Amino acid sequence: MKLTAETIAILKNYATINQNIQFKEGNTLSTISPQKNILTKAEISETIPKTFAIYDLNRLLGALSRLNDPDIEIGKEQLTVDGLKYTYAESAMLVLPPDKKLDVPNPEIKFEMTKSIFEDCIGMAQVLSLPNLVVEGDGTKINLVAIDTSLPSSDVYREEVGTTNEEFKMVFKIENMKLLSGDYRVEISSKGIGHFMHKTSKIEYWIATEQNSNYNN
């Protein structure tokens, strides 16, 4: 089995969320953060012939990057690639996502988020050491806001992403916004979950909002 560049990009993204991963038979990848506040699922073009688990995904990706166009043989207890033999982990040792798909209950907030706006907000947050990304509705506009919600006098960077008749403030931690690069459709529920759907790749994320979020309808 050879991995496409897109699948490798997804795996590198997943390694930032959780070092553990279970490859399941079929063409779907999924992972969950150790804190259980980020869940993600992707469909890939490859077909995985059997289920196996990897304890340290970054370590495996680093090893594969040293090989030229690796063709992976998935054995009973190990991956074999050229001279490399990489042993599977026990699934019971890992933090694994649930089998059931997570549905966002009644998402009241919907908008589209471009790659450039998201990256501008994240970049500004990093430059200004702002820990929060807020989806803010002021009764007219939906804004994506980089801010420190714990400081009334915080620096603020704001980008408009849509329109609304409602007022809300849905707060996410910047450290949880580990999205694969691209444009997204976004749905957020006042129940405390955001759903981020990539517009060109078959990958989606569910990210929990913070306790200081609020929605006024």
Side-chain angles (χ1 to χ4, degrees), residues 104-109 170 188-193 209 213-215:
V104 179
N106 300 319
E108 300 94 339
I109 304 162
M170 309 308 292
I188 304 174
S189 169
S190 61
K191 303 299 183 184
I193 191 77
T209 62
S213 300
N214 62 74
Y215 185 89

Side-chain angles (χ1 to χ4, degrees), residues 13-72:
N13 173 252
Y14 278 15
T16 69
I17 296 170
N18 187 345
Q19 70 171 2
N20 307 154
I21 192 168
Q22 184 179 61
F23 290 82
K24 288 194 171 184
E25 183 177 348
N27 67 337
T28 300
L29 296 174
S30 185
T31 195
I32 192 168
S33 64
Q35 299 80 16
K36 308 291 182 71
N37 53 7
I38 311 169
L39 173 66
T40 175
K41 178 182 177 183
E43 291 184 25
I44 59 174
S45 56
E46 300 88 340
T47 298
I48 301 166
K50 72 182 295 290
T51 297
F52 61 95
I54 298 295
Y55 182 77
D56 191 336
L57 180 55
N58 267 322
R59 186 167 174 261
L60 174 60
L61 291 172
L64 293 178
S65 71
R66 304 287 298 178
L67 303 173
N68 183 29
D69 193 25
D71 191 354
I72 304 169

Side-chain angles (χ1 to χ4, degrees), residues 101-112:
K101 182 177 179 179
L102 179 63
D103 291 321
V104 179
N106 300 319
E108 300 94 339
I109 304 162
K110 298 181 181 182
F111 62 93
E112 295 194 352

